[in-house]
Amino acid sequence: MHIRDLPYADPGEPDARSGPRFLLWLGRNQLGGQLKSLGWGLLHFLGIAALPYMVGLAVQAVIDGSGARLALAGGGILLAGLAVAGGDTMLHRTAVTNWITAAARVQQLLARRTARLGAALTRRVAAGEVVAVSTGDVEKIGWFVEALSRFAAAAVAVLVVCVGLVVYQPALGVVVAVGIPVLALAVLPLLPRATRRADHQREKAGRATELASDTVAGLRVLRGIGGEELFLERYRHASQEVRVAAVRSARMWAVISAVQVLLPGLLLIGLVWHGVHLAREGRVTVGELVTVYSAVMLLNYPLRHFEEIAMAYSFSRPSAKRAARVLSLERTTGAEGTEKGSSATSTGEAADPAGEPMAPAGEPVAPAGEPVAPAGDLYDPATGLLAPAGRFTAVVCGDPDAAGRLAERLGGHPAFETDLPSVRLGGVPLDGLPLDTARTAVLVQDKDPVLLSGTLRSLLDVPSSGAVGPGRALAAAQCADVLDALVQGSVADDPMAAHLTERGRSLSGGQRQRLALARSLVTDPEALVLDEPTSAVDSHTEARIADGLRELRAGRTTVVLTSSPLLLDRADRVVFLHEGEVAAVGVHRELVVTQPKYRAVVTRETDEETAEGAAAVRAGHRPADDGSGPAAPRARVNTIDIEETA
């Protein structure tokens, strides 16, 4: 694998059962790169190991007065130097390649998992943890993958040198062969404590990142309530906790580094003392003593890789654990069969005045072979909700959180209630379709859409059918004032070339909402699901958006989850959900009069007003739920007269 080949065509399916298993899976998928790095590492370290032998030969040649052996030793030193330089260059190149490709693979896996889970990801995992995994944790994992091949080459080189010294000069080689493993293993008792401190540091850093992410996301609200100083103090406290944890962790690694310096020094002192006595006794030559001493000196370099791999694993293990946790999250599939709400006639769906069938006539299955984007009615068996094909359906739900979950489910996103049946489009279960096919068929815009930084043209450059251009979408979403604001704040005269700041922070909430709506309209999906698309828009603009939305989406399936009378009055049909089931179906003007619970949600009636309305019905001053009885006075709907919203 080369860097120029990134991104991967298929990053693979990770083994996310645990952090170590995930690291092992990464290593197996980069076996070729690891072997290349190992080969160049061996050339580099064995070149280093050959230098002391050549230096020893040169010293002995000078003592013996042999010019030929001195020239031979000089040539050997030159070759060893070339091996060290060439091996080091290619080792660095291949090791960094392993790092980058491993990080790229992890980032691709995280991006794919994020796309697969959608908005459900941040409900299962904290947003700060997702940010930490995709940034710092990816680097730590890449560091371990990079260091692994260098450590393997260093370990092989140390083993070769120890064996070679025993063969070359047994009297001194045995001391080295016994001392080197002791040096390598001396830090093992310290590693558990260092690992715990590193884990604690990463935990504190993740918490600080999460707090910073939440603070930035809610900065506008914090400024409105004067809470900036409170959250700033919280972040300062979290930052100090990270600093303290980092210092404690650094102290432990400093002790490990000191041990790695102290013990080799003691080994050298002992080796020189023993070697001098052997040289006095004539059991070793001066050249052999210089060779062994130089070999031990140079072994300090590969031995440092033992410390590095320990650090890399200690830091990457919790990072890999967090990454595995995110990557183990799956897109759940709803249960099949007859479930709560699957019988439309029991939930009021038969009351649709238009007379359409209120539940799918059968259970069509996806066609054999490659799935294609289905078309037809959008049906949720869990609630009994039916959105007929080509119609504008408004859904009123008293619980905003329940409405958000319903919107996710209608788009084929994972459900938290894994026993719920899958939503169907044209009789085909969305959860059973490939993710890209389901997203092509149904597009969901949640109540808090995100605008990415860049030009307006790039914002609207999204996969689409091509039937709706940016101009028509912007006009339907009533974005004329937004375009004017973008031109005024930009050096470009073309609003499409104007630059949007991150998350559209320079725009008001209503302006961001309308741009997001325009982006959704450009895609022109078979079914469009909008969750409170005009909650931040004034009533006059909202009325025009409702007209534009109805006109632009004519003949296409549109579902709007809202309690706005302006949108409800423009809908072809309105479905009222109560306690997770369809309670009534009709048009807004009928339901607001005949359904007290619906009226309470839409008009924000108090309990006392609802009770008064029920008493009026019993007294004969308001029509009963079946629509019979004397005419009722017009209902108050958010202080907007229903007749004036037509």
Side-chain angles (χ1 to χ4, degrees):
M1 184 67 189
H2 301 282
I3 295 178
R4 62 175 176 267
D5 298 326
L6 296 176
Y8 293 96
D10 179 14
E13 286 297 329
D15 185 349
R17 289 176 291 177
S18 66
R21 288 179 182 272
F22 179 62
L23 291 175
L24 181 61
W25 177 84
L26 275 179
R28 289 201 307 267
N29 278 272
Q30 293 189 211
L31 188 59
Q34 293 289 346
L35 290 177
K36 286 182 182 179
S37 187
L38 176 61
W40 290 114
L42 286 175
L43 177 63
H44 173 62
F45 288 119
L46 292 179
I48 293 176
L51 284 174
Y53 180 70
M54 296 303 170
V55 170
L57 288 180
V59 170
Q60 194 61 42
V62 171
I63 294 175
D64 296 341
S66 173
R69 281 190 292 157
L70 181 61
L72 181 63
I77 291 174
L78 177 61
L79 291 176
L82 292 175
V84 170
D88 186 34
T89 300
M90 296 307 298
L91 171 61
H92 178 75
R93 179 184 179 89
T94 54
V96 171
T97 299
N98 289 336
W99 183 354
I100 294 176
T101 52
R105 186 187 297 274
V106 176
Q107 287 177 330
Q108 277 189 253
L109 291 171
L110 290 170
R112 185 175 68 180
R113 190 65 55 177
T114 301
R116 183 174 299 173
L117 294 175
L121 175 62
T122 52
R123 295 188 179 181
R124 300 185 183 186
V125 181
E129 184 170 348
V130 177
V131 173
V133 170
S134 60
T135 53
D137 286 340
V138 167
E139 293 187 5
K140 296 296 186 297
I141 293 171
W143 178 27
F144 175 75
V145 173
E146 176 210 9
L148 186 60
S149 56
R150 289 207 307 269
F151 163 72
V156 172
V158 168
L159 179 62
V160 169
V161 169
C162 289
V163 173
L165 289 178
V166 171
V167 174
Y168 175 71
Q169 177 46 256
L172 295 176
V174 170
V175 177
V176 177
V178 173
I180 292 297
V182 173
L183 296 183
L185 300 177
V187 298
L188 287 182
L190 302 176
L191 288 180
R193 179 175 296 182
T195 301
R196 287 194 298 270
R197 292 189 179 185
D199 290 349
H200 182 66
Q201 177 193 352
R202 296 299 300 170
E203 178 184 348
K204 293 295 184 181
R207 171 57 184 158
T209 302
E210 179 182 349
L211 183 60
S213 176
D214 293 343
T215 302
V216 171
L219 189 58
R220 185 183 295 271
V221 177
L222 290 177
R223 286 176 176 172
I225 63 176
E228 302 123 291
E229 288 300 325
L230 174 62
F231 274 79
L232 181 59
E233 184 60 32
R234 289 183 180 178
Y235 182 72
R236 285 172 178 165
H237 180 69
S239 299
Q240 290 303 310
E241 289 184 343
V242 174
R243 182 188 63 80
V244 172
V247 170
R248 293 185 72 248
S249 179
R251 285 174 180 168
M252 202 66 235
W253 289 109
V255 171
I256 293 176
S257 298
V259 171
Q260 290 285 295
V261 173
L262 175 63
L263 293 185
L266 294 177
L267 176 62
L268 279 175
I269 293 174
L271 183 66
V272 170
W273 181 83
H274 182 58
V276 168
H277 281 76
L278 293 178
R280 285 179 177 178
E281 296 173 1
R283 296 171 58 184
V284 298
T285 64
V286 174
E288 290 173 338
L289 178 59
V290 171
T291 298
V292 175
Y293 173 81
S294 301
V296 175
M297 280 287 295
L298 292 176
L299 278 180
N300 284 331
Y301 173 58
L303 281 175
R304 301 294 295 182
H305 289 78
F306 286 73
E307 177 189 350
E308 182 190 15
I309 195 64
M311 291 183 65
Y313 181 74
S314 297
F315 280 98
S316 67
R317 187 179 61 82
S319 297
K321 181 180 178 181
R322 279 190 292 269
R325 180 189 174 200
V326 175
L327 295 175
S328 64
L329 300 176
E330 293 292 342
R331 181 180 178 225
T332 57
T333 300
E336 299 296 332
T338 303
E339 302 285 345
K340 178 187 70 172
S342 61
S343 174
T345 57
S346 66
T347 60
E349 281 278 323
D352 184 12
E356 302 92 353
M358 292 300 99
E363 297 292 337
V365 295
E370 187 68 22
V372 296
D377 297 346
L378 186 64
Y379 176 63
D380 178 24
T383 60
L385 169 66
L386 176 72
R391 304 288 296 279
F392 183 179
T393 302
V395 180
V396 176
C397 184
D399 183 0
D401 292 334
R405 292 192 294 269
L406 174 61
E408 292 179 10
R409 200 163 61 248
L410 289 176
H413 291 265
F416 293 101
E417 306 87 348
T418 56
D419 60 334
L420 292 181
S422 172
V423 171
R424 290 168 169 77
L425 180 64
V428 179
L430 289 180
D431 284 354
L433 292 174
L435 185 62
D436 55 350
T437 304
R439 296 282 172 83
T440 301
V442 183
L443 175 68
V444 177
Q445 176 182 306
D446 62 24
K447 64 182 63 178
D448 187 23
V450 175
L451 301 182
L452 302 179
S453 60
T455 63
L456 180 58
R457 181 176 289 106
S458 64
L459 176 71
L460 301 179
D461 184 16
V462 293
S464 64
S465 66
V468 179
R472 291 181 61 198
L474 289 168
Q478 301 299 312
C479 293
D481 64 314
V482 184
L483 300 181
D484 293 340
L486 290 175
V487 170
Q488 292 176 3
S490 173
V491 295
D493 295 332
D494 182 8
M496 300 299 290
H499 187 79
L500 296 173
T501 57
E502 181 186 3
R503 300 178 68 93
R505 298 189 189 281
S506 60
L507 303 174
S508 67
Q511 291 174 328
R512 291 197 300 269
Q513 205 169 50
R514 282 178 281 161
L515 285 181
L517 177 59
R519 179 179 58 187
S520 299
L521 294 176
V522 167
T523 62
D524 189 39
E526 179 66 29
L528 176 62
V529 179
L530 304 172
D531 185 8
E532 293 289 356
T534 58
S535 59
V537 177
D538 65 83
S539 59
H540 298 288
T541 305
E542 186 178 28
R544 294 193 294 269
I545 290 175
D547 292 332
L549 181 63
R550 180 185 177 89
E551 178 183 352
L552 189 65
R553 291 289 298 173
R556 306 290 269 175
T557 306
T558 306
V559 179
V560 179
L561 289 92
T562 182
S563 59
S564 167
L566 294 170
L567 286 174
L568 295 171
D569 196 49
R570 266 82 169 170
D572 296 324
R573 63 200 301 269
V574 177
V575 180
F576 175 51
L577 297 182
H578 181 66
E579 296 182 353
E581 295 185 3
V582 174
V585 178
V587 294
H588 170 63
R589 300 194 182 200
E590 293 180 357
L591 294 178
V592 79
V593 174
T594 61
Q595 297 292 331
K597 293 179 180 178
Y598 173 85
R599 182 172 59 251
V601 174
V602 173
T603 66
R604 281 69 166 178
E605 277 187 349
T606 64
D607 294 340
E608 292 78 5
E609 291 173 330
T610 303
E612 290 175 2
V617 170
R618 290 193 297 270
H621 300 300
R622 182 176 290 183
D625 287 354
D626 60 0
S628 61
R634 289 184 305 206
R636 177 180 59 83
V637 182
N638 288 344
T639 71
I640 300 175
D641 196 312
I642 295 177
E643 297 296 335
E644 294 175 355
T645 63

